[in-house]
Amino acid sequence: AQRVTQPEKLLSVFKGAPVELKCNYSYSGSPELFWYVQYSRQRLQLLLRHISRESIKGFTADLNKGETSFHLKKPFAQEEDSAMYYCALRNSSGSARQLTFGSGTQLTVLP
Amino acid sequence: GAGVSQSPSNKVTEKGKDVELRCDPISGHTALYWYRQSLGQGLEFLIYFQGNSAPDKSGLPSDRFSAERTGGSVSTLTIQRTQQEDSAVYLCASSDRTSGRTWGYEQYFGPGTRLTVT
């Protein structure tokens, strides 16, 4: 069975400080990994996906298959980064296309 | 264009009553998903529709839960004999599997329906 673990429910950092949101997964096949973000009173939206190796809003995430991790990082946090962040996994093959989500990390960036 | 819409935005019901939650996906999207977001639990997959294929119901927590998708568009999630543990935000998402990409099929989420069972 596939599982996504986000060990931190809450994370607070000061503006300008680096931030890392942890995500570990367990999956026997070849997964696709994503980070979704939900800002206050807004709908859940895709932040980035591992396959595109992109940087969005200064955030990056590297898939480490050896450690089965997909941590989200940003070198200098901003107050507008405060939001709920979800790590998610999907089977890269087969017919099942649903996402398996972690329990989320609430990030607060303090002024 | 218009995104995924859901109605109602909030629903309060008494324990034991049936409820129906509606999802309007993005026009042309062939895949539709229902998830449940419970406090402290993250998002839990419930059911997945893809075109005219049989839905993947593997995430439905009990036989009190069912869902339909009529005409390949609008979907209704029905919860019969609601229980207090059904209280959650129910999210709908849609994606375009015909995009031609071999990866991605980004899921676009609706605003959710907050269900409270008293």
Side-chain angles (χ1 to χ4, degrees), chain A residues 4 31 34 36 59 78 99 106:
Chain A
V4 177
F34 305 83
Y36 279 79
F59 284 97
Q78 303 300 312
L99 294 162
Q106 178 68 50

Side-chain angles (χ1 to χ4, degrees), chain A residues 35-79:
Chain A
W35 277 98
Y36 279 79
V37 61
Q38 190 168 27
Y39 300 101
S40 179
R41 290 185 290 277
Q42 294 187 29
R43 61 186 67 192
L44 193 65
Q45 59 187 283
L46 178 67
L47 180 62
L48 54 79
R49 61 195 116 204
H50 90 271
I51 200 165
S52 58
R53 296 181 174 274
E54 57 203 344
S55 173
I56 303 294
K57 299 183 178 181
F59 284 97
T60 58
D62 291 320
L63 178 61
N64 186 322
K65 292 187 177 180
E67 296 182 357
T68 60
S69 68
F70 188 56
H71 303 327
L72 183 68
K73 301 177 184 179
K74 185 169 182 177
F76 307 104
Q78 303 300 312
E79 289 181 67

Side-chain angles (χ1 to χ4, degrees), chain A residues 9 32 34 36 38 42-46 49 51-52 54 84 86 90 92 94-104, chain B residues 3-5 33 35 37 40-45 48 50 56 58 91 97 101-111:
Chain A
K9 287 190 182 298
E32 294 177 23
F34 305 83
Y36 279 79
Q38 190 168 27
Q42 294 187 29
R43 61 186 67 192
L44 193 65
Q45 59 187 283
L46 178 67
R49 61 195 116 204
I51 200 165
S52 58
E54 57 203 344
M84 190 71 166
Y86 292 95
R90 183 170 65 198
S92 63
S95 60
R97 307 306 295 175
Q98 67 268 22
L99 294 162
T100 298
F101 286 89
S103 56
Chain B
V4 177
S5 61
Y33 311 78
Y35 295 89
Q37 187 177 29
Q41 299 292 321
L43 285 89
E44 172 190 14
F45 164 73
Y48 159 56
Q50 173 57 52
D56 177 351
S58 60
L91 292 175
R97 191 171 178 178
R101 295 176 294 178
T102 56
W103 54 270
Y105 307 121
E106 178 179 344
Q107 294 185 23
Y108 294 86
F109 283 82

Side-chain angles (χ1 to χ4, degrees), chain B residues 36 46 60-67 77-80 86 90:
Chain B
R36 179 167 68 176
L46 297 177
L60 294 179
S62 78
D63 59 7
R64 297 187 295 103
F65 288 73
S66 62
L77 177 70
T78 301
I79 309 173
Q80 295 178 311
D86 299 334
Y90 289 82

